[in-house]
Amino acid sequence: MNILLTGKNGQVGWELQRTLQPVGKVTACDHAGLDLADAAAVRRKLDEVRPDVIVNAAAYTAVDKAESEPEQANAVNAAAPALLAQEAVQRGALLIHYSTDYVFDGAKASPYVETDPTNPLGAYGRSKLAGEEGIRASGCDHLIFRTSWVYAARGANFLRTILRLAAEREELRIVADQVGAPTWARLIAEATALALRQALAERRHGRFESGLFHLTCAGETSWHGFASLIVASRGGLRVKTVTPIATADYPTPAKRPANSRLNTDAFRARFGLALPDWRDCLPLCLEEIPQ
Ligand SMILES: NC(=O)c1ccc[n+]([C@@H]2O[C@H](COP(=O)([O-])OP(=O)(O)OC[C@H]3O[C@@H](n4cnc5c(N)ncnc54)[C@H](OP(=O)(O)O)[C@@H]3O)[C@@H](O)[C@H]2O)c1
């Protein structure tokens, strides 16, 4: 079983390097080793690795920067997944890909299900939605996992930013009117490996069905709630107050959905997996970040 993993130094990609090991022979590429915006390089890599499974953890994830460089975001998030999907069809490979809560506008009052209408608020969300559509249109065997609010012990993420700022400042002012589920990259990678095992068995028995599933930790909070638990879980920080603020008080180039909650019933039903509460994952991840 040959597995080609892209984006190996990303939050999810890094964890996938480990969780995919027991499933097959993993060839893991970073950005320098495989630029997804280079179609010829992608085809060359596929010829070389001859993967049975392609796991695409690479993405253009700079949400605000995407507003000023949508072409770059589209090249990685829309064109590249479509190319990987077309190649997967020709090569009989299974494609696993990740998408985002940012395909929604956040106006719904309850958690989004997979079939809810999409309406991205920004260039990043539009590029990720186009990626989903390109994969679906190809007809390749695929699983797309939409996730949200990803953090890890390494990489650029909200958890690490809060730890840094909380060591420097006495007050943090954090947005309290966006809700979602902080999701540990390792949970995504472990759930992916288990889901992949099942998908491979289904394919062997000729009963695999492609699909899109929401995959996040259980529970919900605001960015303010997330920051508050991070600070409360760590001693020795300078910060004394975590003040809730409104999105309107923290303007960013890209608009974010107020409701990022994703309903994960379909994922849990299809793969028979439990998804832990975000509050249970956070301490496990914090354990790996030196004080
Ligand atoms: N982070 C979140 O909060 C979040 C939320 C919802 C969904 N997602 C989705 O979850 C998936 C994993 O996200 P993540 O948080 O692990 O992302 P990440 O940490 O930003 O990692 C993305 C990786 O993709 C690589 N990459 C960027 N452009 C590339 C290109 N042209 N060719 C090859 N590699 C390229 C980056 O390498 P360089 O850094 O070297 O460029 C980076 O290592 C993505 O599909 C993302 O859209 C993320």
Side-chain angles (χ1 to χ4, degrees):
M1 179 67 51
N2 282 331
I3 304 174
L4 175 65
L5 170 66
T6 68
K8 75 168 184 177
N9 287 336
Q11 300 189 83
V12 176
W14 178 260
E15 300 288 348
L16 281 165
Q17 285 191 72
R18 184 180 59 81
T19 63
L20 293 175
Q21 295 291 341
V23 187
K25 179 177 181 300
V26 181
T27 303
C29 300
D30 62 10
H31 193 161
L34 176 61
D35 181 0
L36 282 190
D38 180 345
V42 170
R43 290 197 184 92
R44 271 199 309 278
K45 184 60 76 178
L46 291 168
D47 287 343
E48 178 194 317
V49 176
R50 303 166 64 84
D52 305 291
V53 180
I54 303 165
V55 182
N56 182 31
Y60 179 110
T61 55
V63 174
D64 288 317
K65 214 166 148 203
E67 295 299 313
S68 54
E69 43 181 59
E71 298 82 14
Q72 285 91 325
N74 277 318
V76 187
N77 294 346
L83 172 64
L84 289 174
Q86 288 150 16
E87 292 293 324
V89 174
Q90 288 179 17
R91 296 160 193 264
L94 168 67
L95 174 62
I96 296 188
H97 177 75
Y98 299 93
S99 189
T100 171
D101 51 310
Y102 283 21
V103 299
F104 296 116
D105 62 18
K108 191 180 176 188
S110 55
Y112 283 95
V113 294
E114 287 79 353
T115 48
D116 277 328
T118 50
N119 184 29
L121 297 174
Y124 167 75
R126 282 192 291 276
S127 71
K128 294 295 291 183
L129 179 59
E132 291 181 3
E133 288 166 348
I135 292 170
R136 256 200 304 269
S138 76
C140 76
D141 278 5
H142 67 265
L143 294 171
I144 301 173
F145 298 134
R146 277 191 197 135
T147 189
S148 71
W149 295 21
V150 180
Y151 68 90
R154 63 196 296 287
N157 59 62
F158 183 83
L159 165 62
R160 284 169 40 98
T161 301
I162 291 298
L163 288 175
R164 177 172 51 77
L165 295 177
E168 292 168 7
R169 302 181 187 176
E170 294 204 339
E171 185 193 11
L172 298 181
R173 295 165 56 77
I174 309 291
V175 169
D177 55 2
Q178 293 171 27
V179 287
T183 301
W184 189 17
R186 182 166 304 168
L187 187 265
I188 298 170
E190 286 178 338
T192 298
L194 291 165
L196 171 57
R197 279 277 290 168
Q198 179 172 323
L200 291 171
E202 290 169 355
R203 283 185 106 207
R204 273 197 302 278
H205 294 106
R207 49 180 170 77
F208 173 80
E209 278 183 35
S210 295
L212 181 152
F213 299 91
H214 292 170
L215 166 53
T216 68
C217 277
E220 63 183 67
T221 188
S222 65
W223 291 112
H224 174 263
F226 188 18
S228 299
L229 188 57
I230 294 167
V231 166
S233 307
R234 264 283 146 120
L237 296 168
R238 181 148 188 246
V239 71
K240 292 192 173 61
T241 324
V242 183
T243 306
I245 62 167
T247 299
D249 296 328
Y250 188 75
T252 52
K255 280 178 79 178
R256 268 84 171 156
N259 173 20
S260 276
R261 293 171 299 162
L262 301 178
N263 177 311
T264 56
D265 289 353
F267 179 89
R268 288 183 285 118
R270 164 81 181 260
F271 299 106
L273 294 171
L275 294 171
D277 194 283
W278 71 273
R279 294 175 207 83
D280 295 329
C281 289
L282 178 61
L284 298 173
C285 181
L286 275 171
E287 185 73 28
E288 295 181 4
I289 303 178
Q291 288 269 4

